[in-house]
Amino acid sequence: MPCALCDDTGWKTIEADGVRRVARCDCWYQRAAEYQLRAAGIPTRYRHCSLSNFETHYDSLRRAVSRARKFIEDYPVPERGLLFWGAYGVGKTHLAVAILRELIATKGAVGYFCEVPALLKNVRATYDAKTTDGEMDVLAPVLRSDLLVLDDLGEERTSEWVQEALAHVINVRYSENRATIITTGLIDSPDSTDPRSFIFKLGGRTRSRLIEMCEWVHMEGTDSREVGPEPTPERIAEWQEKSPTSPKNIERSRKGFPQKTAGQLKAKPRFGGREDKVDLKWPGGRAGS
Ligand SMILES: [Zn+2]
């Protein structure tokens, strides 16, 4: 059925102070938003995520939602990005996707969702001579989109190369002042030998950058995928004891981890000689690149 306002031309006639002129029709904005939403690369399992269906059983989660609302209100000029940190299953990705979808729908934002482990895998794949995509094809939307969700930072395996690649992405977005929302299971431990800490995984410089560019919002609660949305205290106690992903058991297993000093991971810059310039020089790159 054609649009009743514009007959599918995308332009509607409006009258102001007795003067008739044309303006973009509501249906045009709606189609543009639908296109942006598809282009944002949100995985199917997160496409339903919105602020209204986010579970807020704990104070920290309610605080996180109010930070999310403030960010949406301030967009496109939020003071800083957001970094949601906390255990697995508390809804960090849900909240990040909800902000992205809301801003695409209501403010015409051009945004992009990116899972960090998949991004690094795709960048590595460009070094394979058989692929035609270059690093920049893979990195362009991540570096340039006005709004970026970087999901699961810290889930990738630690290496010099990974640290440099992530430092590059974060530095470019920081220096271009582009809004970034990060989700991570890393913890902010001052102990640089802790394998789950920001310092160990990303290096001290990148951690400092993240502090400057994002407001850190801690989210804690139980894993709703394991205990259900309305858990009883008994159910939570049982989960804490038995689940390998409960905060208690993560703490226990951390004590048994093999420890590596931050010095062993020391990286010399290879990505982005200058922070504001895209200049990837990876020795494993394609011949001639
Ligand atoms: Zn229309």
Side-chain angles (χ1 to χ4, degrees):
M1 209 168 69
C3 173
L5 286 173
C6 72
D7 197 24
D8 286 352
T9 61
W11 295 95
K12 63 180 179 180
T13 308
I14 54 170
E15 212 172 302
D17 303 324
V19 182
R20 276 162 64 91
R21 54 185 193 87
V22 292
R24 282 293 184 195
C25 184
D26 308 0
C27 72
W28 184 87
Y29 285 108
Q30 202 187 328
R31 278 200 304 277
E34 282 164 11
Y35 171 81
Q36 284 304 337
L37 200 54
R38 281 196 302 276
I42 298 167
T44 315
R45 67 182 181 283
Y46 297 124
R47 278 189 201 149
H48 69 286
C49 295
S50 71
L51 286 180
S52 58
N53 61 21
F54 180 74
E55 307 279 359
T56 52
H57 301 298
Y58 297 88
D59 285 343
S60 79
L61 303 186
R62 284 189 284 273
R63 274 196 300 275
V65 169
S66 72
R67 297 309 307 141
R69 290 196 195 285
K70 174 85 168 75
F71 182 91
I72 290 168
E73 195 182 300
D74 293 346
Y75 193 87
V77 282
E79 215 169 287
R80 286 194 289 170
L82 292 172
L83 183 146
F84 295 121
W85 66 285
Y88 184 72
V90 292
K92 301 182 297 287
T93 304
H94 181 127
L95 204 51
V97 169
I99 297 169
L100 178 61
R101 291 182 64 228
E102 177 90 7
L103 285 171
I104 290 171
T106 62
K107 296 201 174 178
V110 177
Y112 193 69
F113 179 94
C114 166
E115 277 173 321
V116 174
L119 171 74
L120 294 168
K121 203 172 141 224
N122 292 342
V123 171
R124 274 179 199 280
T126 64
Y127 303 142
D128 182 338
K130 279 173 285 194
T131 60
T132 50
D133 282 355
E135 279 164 349
M136 286 319 302
D137 298 314
V138 173
L139 283 176
V142 175
L143 298 177
R144 293 187 195 141
S145 64
D146 296 338
L147 175 62
L148 176 73
V149 171
L150 267 185
D151 190 44
D152 260 350
L153 182 66
E155 286 309 306
E156 65 289 336
R157 258 190 38 221
T158 311
S159 75
E160 264 184 46
W161 180 82
V162 163
Q163 285 198 345
E164 289 164 26
L166 291 174
H168 176 67
V169 167
I170 288 162
N171 279 335
V172 169
R173 295 198 62 85
Y174 173 81
S175 51
E176 299 289 329
N177 208 9
R178 294 190 173 128
T180 309
I181 301 170
I182 293 168
T183 77
T184 180
L186 294 177
I187 52 168
D188 198 25
S189 166
D191 175 7
S192 64
T193 62
D194 187 331
R196 296 300 300 163
S197 72
F198 282 91
I199 289 195
F200 183 91
K201 269 286 193 191
L202 304 171
R205 278 193 58 179
T206 300
R207 175 185 165 275
S208 308
R209 240 322 101 91
L210 290 174
I211 290 172
E212 285 173 76
M213 73 189 268
C214 291
E215 180 180 350
W216 291 33
V217 181
H218 189 208
M219 292 169 69
E220 57 189 339
T222 51
D223 187 336
S224 62
R225 282 173 287 200
E226 296 199 2
V227 297
E230 301 280 358
T232 61
E234 292 76 26
R235 180 76 192 88
I236 291 171
E238 186 197 10
W239 169 79
Q240 278 280 21
E241 212 47 54
K242 289 185 180 162
S243 168
T245 62
S246 74
K248 201 171 185 174
N249 285 326
I250 286 173
E251 184 61 36
R252 280 176 184 155
S253 67
R254 188 182 300 142
K255 286 176 182 148
F257 270 2
Q259 310 257 300
K260 213 176 177 187
T261 67
Q264 283 174 272
L265 290 166
K266 212 167 174 165
K268 60 177 191 297
R270 199 179 274 152
F271 273 88
R274 281 175 49 196
E275 283 165 7
D276 56 340
K277 256 197 137 170
V278 173
D279 174 25
L280 295 177
K281 288 199 187 74
W282 164 241
R286 291 177 300 159
S289 66

